[in-house]
Every structure is written in structure tokens, then in C-alpha cells.
């Protein structure tokens, strides 16, 4: 069924535009997947959509990265942009516009906006004296620096600057900003971030420096070519360029303002919730519907995953791992990564990325719950109904309540950007449907000749699978059509429309077409075994590389402390491991996992003052998070524990 557009306004959704100094990783992918999901959902609702993303290219660090790669800045940017195009293509991102800030049309709009604000007096020339973080492209005040010289965000040293510059009169807009954010609770989201933003603005805003001396890479200040427009000002204007501002009035009227702007929490308070709306106010333009600051993917140690911090999770590599372990197709693997990032963590909060959790979700949610329902139902339809959906009698509609609940939960999830609600609702429905199959036992109905009931039960199950496919299709845009195909709906040219998210829309006569299982099961025991083997091999390799000297400074990086073992217990299913509760003189005792269970009983450890590596990155071992490591003698296996030979306080430093 095709749907009439429900709203004349184009639904406009944006991601941040990404710096081209490195290739996309899980952080960039996360925002783009979320925006893609919104765009796909809105299209299913019949809306005209503009989903825009792109690249932020005029950064100082691009020039430096280009120099290091022996390329000029434009050639370097072109190369990284290709990596973005490729990655987004592989992830099935359905953007309508990919903007590059090096496009002429954009550079023209940046210069034009700058000139407009200059003329209005909202931009003025003065002296800039202060600090600048090159990697973050951020101007900083002295009181914001860490240890008087480091950037509060990336921790690296900042550079001092003193020069003539242009300033944007942000300070003129603080009251208006507070009023708007107060008046429109949806403007800045989620609520916790909105409160942070409000208190940030209430402290009073200072005008922002919006130019640097012209280095030849960027948009020059109109009429004063010795200066160049600051990369952040340039980048924010992309949202206007994409909407047609200044060159396509009809498009702009239809598109502006953005309905949803997604950004990470790091670029929300200062840039997207302050300078950006202040620029719009200065231009007399309407503010966006919602600016949402999502959380970060962090590594096990709690650090943001990013190349500058030396930690990167590559979604492609994660998809390849899924393919290797399960034998699923590339499309299914990509959809599964998309599913994982939206289901694992509430949008807005931080999450720890773990390949093991990804594989686990694939098995539990996708192979077991969804795949299993499909794989057990289609053969029943083939066997009992000749493979064809039959007209159900009055007994059908047994899952109506559960379907309705899942649909409204998904709608809420998509509309409120609470994406986790979508799979959670759909999976509740799948659980009901799987239970329904068990309880109504179609094989018994067949045996006892209850044809009418059998037809109705199988109809209800197929119809439920159809609705689940619709609900998840923005998140899993290739899996959903494959389910559609297996239900015989593609063959009947049934469109995937949100309007059909209700019971009883499965057409009679559809011929099911069993395919190979979409989600082949993963042998998790084998995965664990292999991971343990790899860890062991790595250790052995390290050991065989001969003795390497370390410096005093390197040794001092180790935080060795005395820890008193308060409790010790075996770890279920792991005969080498003990789970220890250790007092390190901190507020809370820590949990540590130690591979000493075959040599030491739990009782031998309780009360001992062991030596603990206290600043070791936490690691999850056999499902238990270990926050440190105890020391023992013995190369292959522990033969003696290293303990303090006389009494001392927990937490005492070992030097
Ligand atoms: N170019 C600027 C944005 C300009 S928008 C007018 C920028 N680029 S970025 O490439 O550094 O980051 C882009 C986005 O990716 C940000 O929203 C950032 O929060 C997000 N992420 C980068 N690493 C992240 C994680 N580890 N986790 C989640 N998102 C994070 O900032």
C-alpha cells in the first residue's frame, strides 16, 4: 500500500559533519546509523526526507595530517572522503546529501553568512589573546586548561595565540537562548544534557573568536583576506547550505528548520546548543526541532573510542567477525552491528563496545528469537498448508494485543529517539509469538484434524513475523526485506509501509519461500576457546621476544598496591579462576579475577595482603569484570603468591 505524504514539510535530519583527518570508526558510525534509522522510519511514514551528512575539511589538523602523508590538503581530504563514502555505502546509509565543506556552494554561503552578521554588528573585529587546541580545533580560556597547559578534552598541550581576529557576539544571546531552551523542552535533548547546557549558558557566555590568520586552507573573511573563517563556524553553516539557504529559496522554505540534529555529547553544549542556535537567532532563522547529544562508545577502561586516543573499533571488522563466526551474509552482519549499537545502550548514555557482547546478541536475539521463529514456522506452513497463506477463520487475531503494544512502543521509540524501545518491543512480541507456537502446537492441531484452528494459528504467526519485519526495517534494512521475501510478500509486490503495522494485513495467497537461515548460530564455546588461545599465544610471543629493559619512568607507571583479600570464591564454569574481593583502602573494595584456583583454595587467600596492579585496565573474564591483577610467582602457572611479609594497611603503595 502506498502512503500519501503526511506533512508538506521535508523532514530534515542531520549528523555532524566528520573531520577528514581519519577514517570513520564506531563513534561516527553510531550517529550516522541513528540518523539513517530516523530517515528510513520517516520515509516509511510517507514523509519527504532530507537526511544529510558529510565532511568537515577546513581543519588545521587536516593540513598537518596531509603534510605527514606527503599530500596537499585537498588531495588528502579527497582520499579520506572516499573512505567515508565506502564505509557508509557498506553500512547501507541512505543519506540524501553528502556535503563537503570544500564545495564552492558551501564556501559561498559561509562567506555570505559571515558578511551578513558583520554588517549587522553581530560579528566585530578585535584582538584575540588566549589558547588554542589544534587537534580539537578549539579556543580555550586559561581557567579551562588542565595543569595550566593541556586541553580539557584530549589532554594534549595547547598553543598560545595573540592576533587580530573577528568575534561573534554570542554574549548578546544568552538570555534568549535560556528562554528558548526553557520554553521548548525538546529543543536540547536528552534532559540531563539540557540541564547541563542551561547551567553552562546561565554562567554567562563570552563572545567567540570566529577567525584565524589565513593559512591558505579554509574560507577567507570577505573583504579581509588576511583572515580565515574558523573551522567550527564554517562547519556549522553546512546545515544551512544543505537546506538551500541563500541559493534555493523554495527548498529552504520547504526544509527549514531541521527536525532532528544528532551530535555526540562532546560537541553539544558549546557548539550545537550555544553558538549554533545563537547564529540562527542572529540570522533571524527558526531554531531546530531537536538537537540531541548522544553518549560515547567507550573502551573497557572508560575512554572515548577515537583514533587520537589510540583506540578504534572498526564496524567493518566487527561485521567480518560475525561473518567468520556465524557464516551469515555481509548484509546480515552489517544489519546486526546496526542492531547491536542501538539495542545495547539507551541512546544518550555511554556504552562499552564488546565484540563478545555483539556475538552474544547475534545468537540470543537474532538467531534464537527471530531466526528461530521464522525457521520453525515456514516448514509448518509448507507441510500443513501447501506453503500458502490461507484465509483464517474467526479464531485468528490471538496476538492482536501484543502486536499493538509492540507497534506503539516502536513508534514512541522512533519519534522520541529512544531507539532501544523499538527492538525491546519487537522482541517482547517475538517472545509471545514463540510461546504461542509452543502452546498452540500446530503439529497437534494437524494430527487431530483441527484445520480451522491450524489455519488461524499459522496465520497469526506469519502475520506477527510480518509486523516484526516492518518494525525493525529502519534498523535492519536488508534483513527485513529478506524476511519479506521468505514470507512471499515480495513476490506479491507488497510494499513495506508503516500503515500496515497492524494485524491481519498479510495477504491470503502469499507463498512462503524458505531460504537458508538468515542468522546461522554461533558456537560461543568455540569463540571463547579461540579468544583464550589467542591471548595465550600473544603472551607466549611476548615472552619469546627476549628480555627488554624498561625505564624507571615506565616502571613508575605501574601502580602496585597492597590489597587485603576480604573474600574469595570460584568462578562458575572456569576451573582455573577465583573471584576475589580485595580491599585497596578505597571507598569500595574491588573485584579481581585471578587464575590461581588450581593451586590455591579460596580459604588460603582470604585475609592475605597480596600485591595488586591497581591501574590495570579493567577486563571482563568469564563474565566477571576484573579491576586489577594480583601478582604471583611462576611462569606457566602460579607457584607462590606475592604477599607482604608483615602487616600493613590496605592500599599501601608498593615501590
Ligand atoms: N567536525 C566536527 C563536527 C562538526 S559538525 C558541524 C567533529 N567531527 S568528529 O569527526 O571529531 O566527530 C564527529 C562526531 O562523532 C561527534 O558527534 C562525536 O561526538 C562523534 N564521536 C566520535 N567518537 C565517538 C565515540 N567514541 N562514541 C560516540 N560518538 C563519538 O566533531
Amino acid at each position: 500500500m502506498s502512503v500519501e505524504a503526511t506533512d508538506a514539510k521535508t523532514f530534515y535530519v542531520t549528523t555532524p559533519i566528520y573531520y577528514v583527518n581519519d577514517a570513520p570508526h564506531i563513534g561516527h558510525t553510531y550517529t550516522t546509523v541513528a540518523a539513517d534509522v530516523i530517515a528510513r522510519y520517516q520515509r516509511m511514514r510517507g514523509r519527504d526526507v532530507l537526511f544529510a551528512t558529510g565532511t568537515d575539511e577546513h581543519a588545521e589538523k587536516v593540513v598537518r595530517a596531509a603534510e605527514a602523508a606527503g599530500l596537499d590538503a585537498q588531495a588528502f581530504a579527497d582520499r579520506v572522503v572516499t573512505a567515508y563514502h565506502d564505509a557508509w555505502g557498506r553500512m547501507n546509509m541512505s543519506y540524501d546529501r553528502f556535503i563537503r565543506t570544500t564545495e564552492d556552494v558551501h564556501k559561498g554561503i559561509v562567506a555570505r553568512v559571515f558578511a551578513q552578521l558583520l554588517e549587522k554588528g553581530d560579528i566585530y573585529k578585535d584582538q584575540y589573546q588566549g589558547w588554542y587546541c589544534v587537534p580539537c580545533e578549539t579556543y580555550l580560556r586559561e581557567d579551562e586548561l588542565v595543569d595550566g597547559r593541556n586541553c580539557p578534552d584530549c589532554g594534549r598541550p595547547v598553543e598560545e595565540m595573540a592576533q587580530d581576529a573577528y568575534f561573534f557576539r554570542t554574549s548578546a544571546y544568552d538570555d534568549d537562548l535560556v528562554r528558548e531552551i526553557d520554553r521548548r523542552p525538546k529543543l536540547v535533548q536528552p534532559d540531563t544534557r539540557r540541564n547541563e547546557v542551561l547551567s553552562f549558558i546561565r554562567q554567562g557566555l563570552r563572545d567567540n573568536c570566529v577567525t584565524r590568520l589565513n593559512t591558505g586552507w579554509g574560507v577567507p573573511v570577505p573583504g579581509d583576506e588576511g583572515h580565515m573563517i574558523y573551522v567550527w563556524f564554517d562547519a556549522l553553516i553546512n546545515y544551512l547550505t544543505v537546506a538551500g539557504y541563500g541559493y534555493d529559496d523554495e527548498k529552504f522554505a520547504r526544509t527549514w528548520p531541521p527536525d532532528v540534529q544528532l551530535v555526540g555529547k562532546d560537541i553539544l553544549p558549546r557548539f550545537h546548543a550555544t553558538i549554533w542556535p545563537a547564529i540562527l537567532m542572529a540570522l533571524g532563522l527558526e531554531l531546530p526541532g531537536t538537537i540531541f547529544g548522544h553518549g560515547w562508545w567507550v573502551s573497557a577502561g572508560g575512554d572515548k573510542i577515537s583514533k587520537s586516543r589510540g583506540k578504534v573499533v572498526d564496524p567493518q571488522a566487527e561485521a567480518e567477525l560475525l561473518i567468520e563466526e556465524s557464516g551469515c551474509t555481509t548484509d546480515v552482519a552489517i544489519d546486526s552491528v546496526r542492531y547491536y549499537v542501538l539495542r545495547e545502550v539507551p541512546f544518550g548514555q555511554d556504552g562499552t563496545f564488546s565484540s563478545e557482547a555483539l556475538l552474544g546478541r547475534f545468537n540470543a536475539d537474532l538467531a534464537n528469537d527471530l531466526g528461530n521463529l521464522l525457521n520453525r514456522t515456514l516448514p509448518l506452513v509448507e507441510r500443513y498448508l501447501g506453503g500458502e497463506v490461507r484465509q483464517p477463520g474467526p479464531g485468528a487475531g490471538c496476538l492482536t494485543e501484543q502486536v499493538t503494544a509492540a507497534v506503539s512502543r516502536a513508534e514512541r521509540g522512533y519519534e522520541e529517539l529512544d531507539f532501544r524501545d523499538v527492538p525491546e518491543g519487537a522482541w517482547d512480541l517475538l517472545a509471545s509469538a514463540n510461546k504461542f507456537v509452543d502452546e498452540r502446537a500446530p503439529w497437534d492441531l494437524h494430527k487431530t484434524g483441527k484445520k480451522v484452528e491450524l489455519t488461524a494459528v499459522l496465520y497469526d504467526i506469519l502475520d506477527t513475523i510480518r509486523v516484526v519485519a516492518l518494525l525493525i526495517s529502519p534498523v535492519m534494512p536488508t534483513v527485513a526485506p529478506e524476511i519479506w521475501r521468505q514470507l512471499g510478500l515480495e513476490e506479491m509486490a507488497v510494499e513495506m509501509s508503516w500503515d500496515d503495522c497492524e494485524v491481519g494485513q498479510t495477504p491470503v495467497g502469499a507463498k512462503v519461500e524458505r531460504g537458508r537461515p538468515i542468522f546461522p548460530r554461533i558456537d560461543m564455546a568455540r569463540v571463547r576457546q579461540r579468544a583464550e588461545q589467542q591471548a595465550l599465544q600473544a603472551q607466549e610471543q611476548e615472552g619469546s621476544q627476549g628480555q627488554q629493559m624498561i625505564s624507571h619512568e615506565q616502571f613508575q607507571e605501574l601502580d602496585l598496591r597492597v590489597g587485603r583479600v576480604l573474600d574469595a570464591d570460584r568462578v562458575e564454569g572456569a576451573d582455573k579462576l577465583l573471584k576475589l574481593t580485595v580491599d585497596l583502602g578505597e571507598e569500595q573494595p574491588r573485584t579481581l579475577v585471578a587464575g590461581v584456583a588450581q593451586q590455591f583454595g579460596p580459604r588460603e587467600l582470604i585475609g592475605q595482603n597480596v600485591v595488586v596492579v591497581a591501574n590495570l585496565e579493567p577486563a571482563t573474564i568469564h563474565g566477571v569484570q576484573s579491576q586489577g591483577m594480583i601478582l604471583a610467582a611462576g611462569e606457566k602457572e602460579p607457584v607462590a603468591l606475592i604477599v607482604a611479609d608483615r602487616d600493613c594497611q590496605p592500599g599501601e603503595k608498593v615501590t
Side-chain angles (χ1 to χ4, degrees), residues 11 66 98 105 109 259 287 321 383 440 499:
F11 188 95
F98 187 102
V105 60
I109 300 303
D259 295 84
L287 301 190
L321 178 71
R383 219 170 299 146
R440 303 301 298 269
D499 275 6

Side-chain angles (χ1 to χ4, degrees), residues 15-22 25-28 30-31 56 61 84 232 235-239 262-267 272 294-298 303-306:
T15 71
I17 50 169
Y18 304 104
Y19 286 130
V20 289
N21 58 321
D22 56 47
H25 59 63
I26 194 72
H28 313 126
Y30 188 42
T31 328
D56 184 358
K61 57 188 164 191
Y84 271 90
W232 262 103
L236 288 166
I237 302 304
N238 96 83
Y239 304 127
L262 298 181
V263 296
K265 64 178 184 180
D266 50 330
I267 58 172
H272 283 84
H294 63 70
W296 281 347
W297 284 98
V298 294
D303 276 350
K304 179 185 174 202
I305 292 171
S306 73

Side-chain angles (χ1 to χ4, degrees), residues 390-398 400 440 451-453 455-457 459-460:
R390 300 272 172 83
Q391 182 68 52
C398 290
T400 306
R440 303 301 298 269
K451 255 207 131 121
V452 178
E453 247 181 285
T455 309
V457 165
Y459 186 89
D460 280 352

